[in-house]
Amino acid sequence: MAMELAGTGLKIVALERGEQRDTYPDFAYPRIIDELTYGIRLKLFQNASKETVTVRHSGNESALPYRRFGSFLPGDGVGGAGVHWNGMLWRPLEADLKMRSTVIERYGADFIPQDMTVQDYPFTSAEMEPFFDKFEKICGTAGHAGNLNGEKIAGGNPFEAPRQNHYPTKPLKQQYSGMLFEKAAKELGYHPFPLPAALCSEPYTNPYGVQLGVCNYCGFCERFGCFNYAKASPQSCVLPALYQYKNFELRTQSQVLRVNTDSTGAQATGVTYIDANGQEVEQPASLVVLSAFQLHNVRLLLLSNIGKPYDPATGEGVVGRNYAYQMNGGVSLFFDPDTNFNPFAATGATGTFIDDFNAENFDHSGLGFVGGATISATITGGRPVQQMSISNKAPKWGTGWKKAIKESYLHTMSIGSSGSVMPYKQCYLDLDPTYKDHHGQPLLRMTFDWQRNELKMTNFIAGKAEGIAKAIGPKHYEMGFKGMNAHYDVRPYQSTHTTGGAVMGDNPKTSVVNKYLQSWDVPNVFVLGACCFPQNLSYNPTGIVGGTTLFAAHAILTQYLANPGPLVQA
């Protein structure tokens, strides 16, 4: 957003609560490939001792502070979660954007459970296409088009919405696991394609004039910064150009406490933040953009009294509504010693996928659930601490554990699923009445658990993934999908794809921001990110976050600056 607006000459101040970070020296090799520091001790992530969330499964439970992040990992410092991500860069399917109306059209309104608050996005795929295209070009995205202006392209995703252009760079090299998956998927009548990756596969200069490096398959993507300037982090593809603007200022160690408004509450006057010296500072502003992580944007809105907080008892209010996470599962495949996968030669987004059971790409009649999942073979690395895949039957320590690692390290692959999660009346975010952060402000409280719709979905997907595993033919395999009685567990990492709480829409009664991500209540406040998603797609959120940000920036440049005020009438 700052880069898009910098050319106007506006004075732009970016407030980052964490430390300054850049590719050099912070991500320099070999410093950055320290798995203990970055993978286990979570150096790039939020400090849970200072600020965290409280968690509970239902509204009749007491929420407790989440003291060691595991399930999801909010970033901290310049670049945020854009530093440590894997680089999977998706566009939404057309049905993803019109999920509610599509389901009603195909199966009737009664197909949607009464407690499910699924809703459509306030724009179409065609309307967003130029902005998805631009974001892919900023990132130097590697991939293979499947639908070019309505023409299906062999080898790409046949289910994707029409695109104007090919991906900026060619697909990443395929791993052996992906080759086996592709062969088995085709034999079963599915449509495999390479994962779109924000990991540059060839020399490339993006629209901001920044030259990106070429990925060298080092196996250190998630939880790590990219030392090769190849992964599309802010440091590699935006900040070098943004720093050239004299009207842009970045202040680090500056944590925003709240957005300030005038006496009417309908106009923002700036923000209050704590600076590096611990002093409270008021920063005036005529335009305020919230671009923190999903959870933090929702908390800032609640702390600032912008928008009516959601009340699950009455269903009224909007801020905190429609929180959702992501439903994952997998199959571990074990092979004989003569089958080698070399997992260390990997990227965070080297994979082969199928979309045959995603969203509305298949008939849900009689299945009893809304949504779906991708199924893929993706190896993101072979790191020595967290990426030792051994059998569930193997010892957990000692000589037997070491023997199991030796027998499985080179000879194991996995099939994973990434599933959508719908929103529900009983899954929401609000301010905790008991616990506070180190500045004395209420923590954000998360009320969330798996619902039957998603558990039915993942059990259906488990059968499809197992079918592919059998077709591949390993020595043996082990299933890792949730059963119908599963509850959300905050301990194991699952994904950092938390969504909702400040959703976009056409109706102020069911959304916090309009299609341009502009607050309905305070029109000089814009809210970016996955907090604006009405529900969680099976895809990783970054592509939509980037595309909708560019869409909002375009609206500010072409409409708002000339005539400040609501861009959409309620």
Side-chain angles (χ1 to χ4, degrees):
M1 178 62 81
M3 183 64 197
E4 291 293 306
L5 299 183
T8 63
L10 290 170
K11 292 182 179 179
I12 300 171
V13 175
L15 299 171
E16 163 59 51
R17 71 176 180 184
E19 63 185 15
Q20 171 66 289
R21 292 190 182 128
D22 210 341
T23 302
Y24 184 85
D26 301 282
F27 311 152
Y29 181 89
R31 170 182 179 174
I32 194 63
I33 60 167
D34 177 349
E35 191 177 8
L36 181 61
T37 296
Y38 295 95
I40 305 300
R41 294 176 178 163
L42 307 178
K43 180 176 173 57
L44 297 179
F45 302 96
Q46 182 177 326
N47 185 341
S49 70
K50 294 182 177 181
E51 182 188 331
T52 184
V53 296
T54 64
V55 184
R56 61 181 180 175
H57 283 147
S58 66
N60 58 10
E61 296 178 351
S62 295
L64 294 173
Y66 193 9
R67 292 303 186 192
R68 178 174 175 80
F69 288 116
S71 175
F72 50 86
L73 299 172
D76 191 62
V78 173
V83 170
H84 69 77
W85 72 311
N86 263 328
M88 299 183 183
L89 189 61
W90 297 96
R91 298 184 180 193
L93 297 164
E94 290 181 283
D96 282 329
L97 298 182
K98 300 297 177 185
M99 182 59 70
R100 182 177 179 82
S101 57
T102 301
V103 170
I104 290 174
E105 179 184 337
R106 293 185 180 182
Y107 314 111
D110 291 342
F111 197 81
I112 300 174
Q114 288 188 346
D115 60 347
M116 184 186 290
T117 53
V118 59
Q119 59 193 64
D120 292 347
Y121 281 74
F123 41 63
T124 65
S125 180
E127 192 175 10
M128 286 299 301
E129 200 283 335
F131 303 96
F132 292 141
D133 181 75
K134 182 174 181 177
F135 189 62
E136 288 172 352
K137 289 174 178 173
I138 292 168
C139 295
T141 311
H144 185 100
N147 184 342
L148 194 61
N149 295 312
E151 179 184 353
K152 298 298 178 70
I153 308 296
N157 182 3
F159 300 102
E160 76 171 351
R163 57 170 55 243
Q164 294 180 41
N165 300 301
H166 287 282
Y167 285 97
T169 64
K170 63 186 178 184
L172 294 169
K173 295 178 180 178
Q174 193 177 43
Q175 295 167 318
Y176 184 47
S177 58
M179 297 176 187
L180 294 180
F181 179 88
E182 179 181 24
K183 181 176 182 294
K186 285 182 175 178
E187 290 173 353
L188 293 169
Y190 305 145
H191 304 84
F193 60 92
L195 167 63
L199 302 161
C200 212
S201 62
E202 55 188 289
Y204 177 77
T205 301
N206 77 6
Y208 295 150
V210 180
Q211 186 176 18
L212 278 67
V214 179
C215 179
N216 68 353
Y217 302 81
C218 73
F220 286 81
C221 275
E222 82 273 9
R223 306 187 186 217
F224 304 87
C226 179
F227 63 84
N228 221 39
Y229 295 87
K231 183 171 69 174
S233 66
Q235 284 83 352
S236 65
C237 59
V238 179
L239 290 174
L242 180 58
Y243 286 151
Q244 305 304 311
Y245 284 92
K246 303 302 182 184
N247 55 314
F248 171 77
E249 179 187 356
L250 170 63
R251 298 177 193 167
T252 58
Q253 307 287 357
S254 300
Q255 180 162 359
V256 176
L257 300 180
R258 61 188 171 273
V259 179
N260 303 319
T261 55
D262 64 12
S263 59
T264 69
Q267 188 75 9
T269 59
V271 301
T272 297
Y273 70 95
I274 303 292
D275 69 10
N277 298 315
Q279 300 298 310
E280 191 169 296
V281 179
E282 184 172 337
Q283 174 60 54
S286 58
L287 177 64
V288 176
V289 178
L290 300 185
S291 56
F293 185 68
Q294 173 267 334
L295 295 170
H296 306 321
N297 272 352
V298 177
R299 182 168 179 252
L300 279 170
L301 289 169
L302 291 168
L303 292 172
S304 307
N305 295 313
I306 296 177
K308 185 178 180 179
Y310 173 67
D311 182 350
T314 64
E316 296 180 354
V318 288
V319 182
R321 180 178 177 271
N322 281 34
Y323 173 75
Y325 190 40
Q326 197 147 44
M327 174 65 80
N328 296 335
V331 189
S332 297
L333 287 69
F334 299 88
F335 294 80
D336 292 321
D338 59 346
T339 303
N340 294 317
F341 291 101
N342 295 339
F344 49 83
T347 80
T350 312
T352 303
F353 276 64
I354 63 168
D355 249 357
D356 296 74
F357 303 103
N358 191 6
E360 278 298 321
N361 294 341
F362 62 106
D363 187 3
H364 288 65
S365 301
L367 297 179
F369 64 82
V370 175
T374 63
I375 304 175
S376 68
T378 303
I379 295 176
T380 63
R383 300 192 300 273
V385 180
Q386 293 179 305
Q387 294 185 317
M388 292 295 158
S389 181
I390 61 175
S391 170
N392 292 329
K393 301 174 183 177
K396 304 302 181 187
W397 63 284
T399 302
W401 173 72
K402 294 177 182 178
K403 182 174 183 291
I405 289 175
K406 182 177 180 180
E407 290 175 350
S408 66
Y409 178 70
L410 293 174
H411 319 298
T412 305
M413 65 168 281
S414 64
I415 296 172
S417 77
S418 175
S420 60
V421 171
M422 297 299 118
Y424 297 88
K425 294 178 181 177
Q426 63 271 23
C427 297
Y428 60 96
L429 303 169
D430 64 355
L431 293 177
D432 193 282
T434 304
Y435 296 97
K436 302 182 186 300
D437 67 9
H438 66 306
H439 294 306
Q441 296 202 118
L443 294 178
L444 190 69
R445 180 170 62 178
M446 176 190 299
T447 303
F448 178 78
D449 201 2
W450 303 124
Q451 307 297 315
R452 288 192 63 80
N453 181 86
E454 281 65 42
L455 294 171
K456 285 181 181 180
M457 180 273 293
T458 201
N459 276 268
F460 171 82
I461 295 297
K464 302 302 179 181
E466 185 175 19
I468 298 173
K470 288 179 178 178
I472 291 174
K475 183 172 63 175
H476 77 278
Y477 63 86
E478 297 174 1
M479 301 296 291
F481 285 81
K482 296 175 180 65
M484 287 302 298
N485 295 319
H487 291 281
Y488 173 52
D489 187 345
V490 298
R491 293 170 296 176
Y493 182 75
Q494 290 155 79
S495 82
T496 305
H497 309 153
T498 57
T499 65
V503 306
M504 63 179 88
D506 289 324
N507 187 346
K509 292 184 178 180
T510 57
S511 60
V512 175
V513 295
N514 61 30
K515 66 190 294 183
Y516 302 111
L517 309 186
Q518 180 187 37
S519 167
W520 290 109
D521 297 88
V522 185
N524 64 332
V525 170
F526 288 75
V527 185
L528 314 180
C531 61
C532 302
F533 292 12
Q535 50 269 340
N536 208 341
L537 291 67
S538 66
Y539 292 148
N540 305 50
T542 312
I544 307 174
V545 170
T548 52
T549 297
L550 292 171
F551 184 65
H554 179 74
I556 292 172
L557 288 167
T558 59
Q559 301 177 60
Y560 180 86
L561 292 180
N563 187 24
L567 296 174
V568 177
Q569 295 302 316

